[in-house]
Amino acid sequence: MTRHLLETDDLAADELAAVLDLAREPRPRPVLAGRGAALVFEKPSNRTRNATEMAVVQLGGHPISIRGEEVGLGTRETAEDIARTLACYHAVIGARVQDHGNLERMAAALDASGTAVPLINLLSDRAHPCQALADLLTMQEVLGGLRGRTLAWVGDANNVCRSLLLGGALAGMRMRVASPPAFSLDDADADRIVSLGGDLELVERPELAAAGADAVHTDVWVSMGQEADAAARRRAFDGFTVDEALMARAAPDAVVLHCLPAHRGEEIAASVVDGPRSVVWRQAENRLHAARGLLLWLLDAKPDGAAWSPVAEASGAAGTPRTGR
């Protein structure tokens, strides 16, 4: 059966571990050699587009990024027709959409048509699993493992938070979320995380979440599409800045994560995001490695040390070493 990734818990715990292992594969097989990847972007993207496109290139494939207005998702064409059309040309489809429901319709159409083309959520209003994979990969690298480690999320319990907590639950992490009441996880999401074995605590004060934490993660207070509510959101999140004083409550070797873009002086202090505890740039680089690991897993590649493809090497398409480590 073709697998899709619309949310982090579309993976079982052992499958999540396998994707993270594949993300470290230094010489991945060019499983996309001679094939295309269609990447639909209804919303602007910097890290997701560049990371996913380069992951496709490193696997020998050819990414084609498509703006939302070019396909007219839900206006000019239905989600189902777009998915089935793109599956005629490409080995994998990624989509960054306004409405998570459109992803579900695209996946259902692909399954109903019997195509073997997987669909990847590149961000929706509900979820951002590719970001979660990169975050988990980063914490795994810098903390030496995930099980039993404590993650503090400070700020809006948004799509990024939700996907990360689902992954943290699968990986055996302890998780605390500090949000103003109107921006906390709803009961259904909290129950879903706990049902996966997640050790989850919801609090209203950032210092309670950060106390002794191994990693502190935050995100912007005003995301794309929320600009009309910017003033009210900034008032609600007053006191939720991740600054030096808050980090002093975390474990002595705690690290700071941010999925970017960062608003220095708002949700995070410049001295923290640019300071020695920050792993933000490693996290950004890991968007690429995590995307490559996910593509390998979805396309059923095995990390068996197979010989590197001469075709891919000649084209310079893959095998790019990790940088800056």
Side-chain angles (χ1 to χ4, degrees):
M1 182 181 72
T2 302
R3 297 290 296 273
H4 310 292
L5 186 83
L6 305 192
E7 179 53 293
T8 316
D9 63 345
D10 285 341
L11 300 169
D14 61 333
E15 293 170 338
L16 172 63
V19 170
L20 297 181
D21 285 345
L22 284 166
R24 299 188 188 87
E25 177 65 27
R27 296 178 68 81
R29 292 191 297 180
V31 293
L32 281 169
R35 301 199 286 173
L39 308 174
V40 178
F41 289 91
E42 277 196 307
K43 286 185 168 183
S45 174
N46 182 8
R47 280 153 295 280
T48 299
R49 177 176 174 181
N50 282 282
T52 310
E53 285 190 357
M54 287 312 301
V56 170
V57 169
Q58 290 189 3
L59 296 175
H62 181 84
I64 295 182
S65 290
I66 306 160
R67 297 193 306 274
E69 62 267 29
E70 292 180 283
V71 291
L73 184 56
T75 55
R76 190 162 67 88
E77 292 193 68
T78 66
E80 290 84 354
D81 287 356
I82 291 170
R84 293 196 62 175
T85 299
L86 294 176
C88 295
Y89 319 123
H90 298 280
V92 62
I93 300 171
R96 185 180 181 94
V97 299
Q98 304 279 1
D99 181 357
H100 189 84
N102 279 330
L103 286 172
E104 296 173 331
R105 291 170 57 190
M106 293 171 75
L110 292 170
D111 290 341
S113 67
T115 177
V117 174
L119 175 68
I120 299 173
N121 179 1
L122 300 180
L123 182 142
S124 71
D125 55 332
R126 287 286 304 165
H128 200 356
C130 292
Q131 179 69 54
L133 293 176
D135 297 347
L136 294 167
L137 178 63
T138 303
M139 289 189 285
Q140 190 177 62
E141 289 177 342
V142 299
L143 300 178
L146 297 173
R147 183 163 296 280
R149 292 292 194 172
T150 300
L151 165 67
W153 178 278
V154 177
D156 191 1
N158 58 13
N159 51 353
V160 176
C161 173
R162 190 179 301 109
S163 293
L164 177 57
L165 296 179
L166 289 167
L170 292 170
M173 299 189 77
R174 301 189 185 100
M175 297 165 291
R176 302 191 201 113
V177 180
S179 306
F183 300 95
S184 187
L185 284 178
D186 62 30
D187 290 343
D189 287 327
D191 290 346
R192 182 174 171 183
I193 292 161
V194 171
S195 73
L196 294 173
D199 182 344
L200 176 66
E201 184 178 1
L202 306 182
V203 298
E204 294 183 17
R205 293 164 50 194
E207 58 270 27
L208 295 178
D214 299 297
V216 178
H217 199 310
T218 189
D219 193 4
V220 296
W221 294 343
V222 183
S223 297
M224 286 184 290
Q226 298 170 338
E227 291 79 5
D229 300 325
R233 282 179 159 268
R234 290 190 174 100
R235 286 194 297 272
F237 286 106
D238 184 31
F240 281 77
T241 300
V242 176
D243 55 15
E244 299 281 3
L246 186 67
M247 290 306 300
R249 296 177 177 272
D253 57 350
V255 297
V256 173
L257 298 99
H258 192 306
C259 52
L260 300 174
H263 295 169
R264 291 167 174 78
E266 197 165 276
E267 78 278 359
I268 193 165
S271 60
V272 173
V273 71
D274 298 319
R277 290 186 168 195
S278 173
V279 293
V280 167
W281 304 113
R282 184 169 186 157
Q283 184 185 3
E285 180 185 335
N286 274 337
R287 292 297 312 276
L288 164 61
H289 305 307
R292 192 181 60 240
L294 175 62
L295 286 166
L296 279 165
W297 186 82
L298 286 172
L299 296 167
D300 200 27
K302 306 298 181 186
D304 59 0
W308 192 244
S309 162
V311 175
E313 277 203 335
S315 67
T320 301
R322 300 167 74 87
T323 59
R325 303 288 171 85

